[in-house]
Amino acid sequence: MNYLEERLKIYMRDAKKIRKLKSVSRPRGVSVGDVVCLYGDNGPIYAVVIDDDKETKNCVVLTPELILSGEGLLVRVNHLVSLLRVTPLNFYLTRDMEKYCEVVGKVDVERIAESHRKLKEKAYRGVRKRFYRYEVKRIEIVYNMFLEFLNEFEEKASDSIVLEWDEINHLFDRKDLETVFADVAVAQGAGVDLSKFLVVAIENGVKIVFADELIGKVGRVLLAGKTIYSGRIPLQLQIDFHRPVSIEAIVKILDVQIEETQEG
């Protein structure tokens, strides 16, 4: 067994799955550029806030495991550890989750975001692939909390539409299907914010939450250039593919077009 294999084995033995988060004694507002620590029952989760859309904050996961994590940018903090590394993982922080956050540093967001973007584009294999798969499971609690937030949001909103893949798959040719069903990335996060809408990976599809300024306007939702919905833009649109899909691939071929209002 080589060194990395042995290190991963030890890491997986010692870094147990986090099943509960602990509220901090004096929570404060979290803003873009903050390095935060969420205290779990089996260790901390470190992240840096890179974007804020009022309801949620996009956070890049940082890890104190500097060797297994690879080539991400190093971030210096004065906390339980002194160095953290940027990873290809991200999660979304809701307002309710901020009570678990302690701000432990401040960083240059642009450099963090650029490092994160480059890491997400890599194809991981071997030990590194297994490490990130394990990390996703280890911090699964933050992804579940975000999905609970979306479910509660959906329950409050009657304006939600569900599309079944069987209803729209006839629109796509073979090349389109290869794009739609691209390989699911090992480091796939919970969602991708495109300012017009938030795209969230669910078990066998995606959920699209539209920006406030789009809701109620007349327009079209397109996937790979094909119109899959037209009419007034709802609060949410869910596409059930009946199988896991790559959220990164879907984001690249998803678009919303709003009809211009005619004056006079």
Side-chain angles (χ1 to χ4, degrees):
M1 183 179 294
N2 64 32
Y3 173 71
L4 289 180
E5 289 277 358
E6 182 63 26
R7 190 176 182 93
L8 178 61
K9 181 179 178 181
I10 294 171
Y11 181 82
M12 293 172 68
R13 181 195 68 195
D14 295 341
K16 302 297 185 183
K17 182 175 181 178
I18 294 172
R19 302 186 182 280
K20 186 177 180 181
L21 296 177
K22 304 173 184 178
S23 299
V24 298
S25 57
R26 294 182 179 179
R28 49 161 276 198
V30 177
S31 59
V32 172
D34 284 344
V35 178
V36 297
C37 175
L38 291 79
Y39 294 97
D41 56 348
N42 286 315
I45 301 172
Y46 288 100
V48 57
V49 181
I50 63 168
D51 193 25
D52 183 353
D53 72 353
K54 297 181 182 179
E55 290 296 330
T56 60
K57 295 176 173 65
N58 187 5
C59 299
V60 170
V61 176
L62 306 176
T63 178
E65 176 44 65
L66 305 182
I67 296 176
L68 292 173
S69 54
E71 304 169 355
L73 187 71
L74 288 173
V75 177
R76 187 170 294 279
V77 293
N78 182 19
H79 198 238
L80 302 175
V81 295
S82 58
L83 279 177
L84 299 164
R85 195 182 289 281
V86 174
T87 76
L89 306 179
N90 75 299
F91 66 87
Y92 282 83
L93 191 70
T94 67
R95 290 179 181 177
D96 187 58
M97 291 168 65
E98 290 187 29
K99 65 187 177 186
Y100 303 115
C101 295
E102 179 183 358
V103 177
V104 298
K106 196 80 173 179
V107 293
D108 180 346
V109 171
E110 290 186 6
R111 294 182 66 215
I112 299 292
E114 178 64 13
S115 178
H116 173 68
R117 182 189 63 78
K118 289 179 178 178
L119 292 170
K120 291 194 74 160
E121 293 174 351
K122 289 181 176 290
Y124 294 91
R125 298 181 178 85
V127 172
R128 199 139 289 149
K129 180 177 181 179
R130 286 157 52 202
F131 168 72
Y132 279 122
R133 279 188 170 169
Y134 182 76
E135 280 299 275
V136 169
K137 292 180 181 178
R138 190 180 73 84
I139 65 171
E140 188 177 28
I141 186 170
V142 293
Y143 300 127
N144 289 339
M145 284 181 169
F146 178 64
L147 291 177
E148 286 175 10
F149 163 78
L150 286 179
N151 289 336
E152 291 174 4
F153 191 65
E154 183 177 0
E155 287 174 3
K156 294 176 183 177
S158 58
D159 191 12
S160 183
I161 293 173
V162 177
L163 294 178
E164 296 289 341
W165 179 242
D166 294 343
E167 300 171 350
I168 59 175
N169 62 7
H170 65 278
L171 299 171
F172 303 94
D173 57 29
R174 182 175 179 179
K175 185 177 180 181
D176 293 331
L177 294 177
E178 290 175 354
T179 304
V180 171
F181 295 109
D183 291 339
V184 179
V186 63
Q188 175 157 273
V192 177
D193 190 347
L194 295 179
S195 71
K196 286 184 180 179
F197 42 76
L198 178 70
V199 184
V200 182
I202 56 178
E203 185 176 0
N204 286 309
V206 295
K207 184 178 292 186
I208 308 160
V209 183
F210 295 97
D212 289 345
E213 58 267 26
L214 298 183
I215 297 171
K217 292 185 177 180
V218 177
R220 299 186 299 153
V221 179
L222 298 94
L223 189 68
K226 310 298 192 303
T227 300
I228 59 172
Y229 171 81
S230 62
R232 295 200 175 276
I233 301 300
L235 178 68
Q236 295 185 59
L237 178 66
Q238 180 174 318
I239 309 174
D240 287 338
F241 291 99
H242 308 297
R243 58 181 283 190
V245 293
S246 166
I247 191 169
E248 298 295 337
I250 295 297
V251 162
K252 291 177 182 177
I253 58 174
L254 187 66
D255 192 22
V256 179
Q257 296 180 356
I258 301 299
E259 292 184 9
E260 294 184 8
T261 56
Q262 300 293 325
E263 296 183 359

